[in-house]
Amino acid sequence: MFKKWKWIVMILLVAAIMLVIRLEDQGVLETPVRKLVTTSADITYLSKLGQSLLNKEQETIMVSSDVGQTELLTFSNAQVFKEGFLLQYDVGLPVYAGQSGLVVFTGHTKYTGKTMTISYEDGTTVSYGMLDSLAQLPYTTVQANDLIGMKKAGQLYISIEKADTHYNLEQIVQWLQTDNDED
């Protein structure tokens, strides 16, 4: 019976956060709630809370091939867009998590369409936008190489932020290369 209550509390917490963010997006709330919820301290707290409520044990899964984010480095063109970049791909590709982290947003935004934002353990917050499908739910943990979405040929939005600073294109490429070197 106690486990059932844990699930209900978790669902209500996630629903409340999603409602408050929606109210912020519609201009009903002036407080930047999304910024408050996506600070690294809040993300760490929510991650630990979620894991403790669900009694989720950490397990290691061996991967037989190096999937990683190598394919994200094959873009043919890049242009500045909002706080990130639009990367052009000639073929469709799967998008994988670069490392372990917490999904802090999945949904549709006005400028980047289907978008997923992940707070990674290295302190970076990465938004992947203009995805064609999403493979993870909000406030779930992901491990390196977990599928997070699919992208058909065309533009993919990517924005990386760390310590309130958005990465430039060179830093994004270095981050993607570093992630792949660790796999």
Side-chain angles (χ1 to χ4, degrees), residues 16-27:
I17 291 170
M18 289 172 51
L19 174 65
V20 170
I21 288 173
R22 181 165 293 224
L23 291 173
E24 175 190 350
D25 288 344
Q26 294 175 353

Side-chain angles (χ1 to χ4, degrees), residues 2-146:
F2 185 67
K3 270 191 166 190
K4 183 178 179 181
W5 284 106
K6 287 182 188 180
W7 279 102
I8 292 171
V9 168
M10 180 59 83
I11 290 169
L12 290 174
L13 176 66
V14 170
I17 291 170
M18 289 172 51
L19 174 65
V20 170
I21 288 173
R22 181 165 293 224
L23 291 173
E24 175 190 350
D25 288 344
Q26 294 175 353
V28 176
L29 294 176
E30 293 180 18
T31 305
V33 176
R34 185 173 282 124
K35 272 290 194 201
L36 296 174
V37 173
T38 59
T39 62
S40 59
D42 291 337
I43 300 302
T44 302
Y45 172 77
L46 286 173
S47 176
K48 288 179 181 177
L49 176 66
Q51 288 178 6
S52 69
L53 289 175
L54 299 175
N55 292 326
K56 185 175 182 179
E57 293 181 17
Q58 297 290 339
E59 64 181 65
T60 302
I61 300 173
M62 298 303 292
V63 177
S64 61
S65 64
D66 182 20
V67 289
Q69 298 188 106
T70 305
E71 291 178 323
L72 291 181
L73 294 168
T74 63
F75 59 92
S76 60
N77 189 15
Q79 68 185 67
V80 176
F81 184 74
K82 300 291 179 188
E83 293 90 18
F85 291 86
L86 295 175
L87 306 179
Q88 180 69 39
Y89 294 93
D90 298 328
V91 296
L93 64 143
V95 180
Y96 297 101
Q99 54 186 277
S100 297
L102 178 70
V103 177
V104 295
F105 176 78
T106 51
H108 190 274
T109 70
K110 181 176 180 179
Y111 297 105
T112 60
K114 286 184 184 175
T115 302
M116 180 172 295
T117 302
I118 301 174
S119 177
Y120 287 119
E121 289 180 349
D122 71 350
T124 56
T125 300
V126 182
S127 291
Y128 305 88
M130 299 184 178
L131 293 165
D132 293 298
S133 65
L134 302 171
Q136 300 291 330
L137 295 173
Y139 298 102
T140 57
T141 57
V142 292
Q143 303 300 316
N145 300 324
D146 282 354

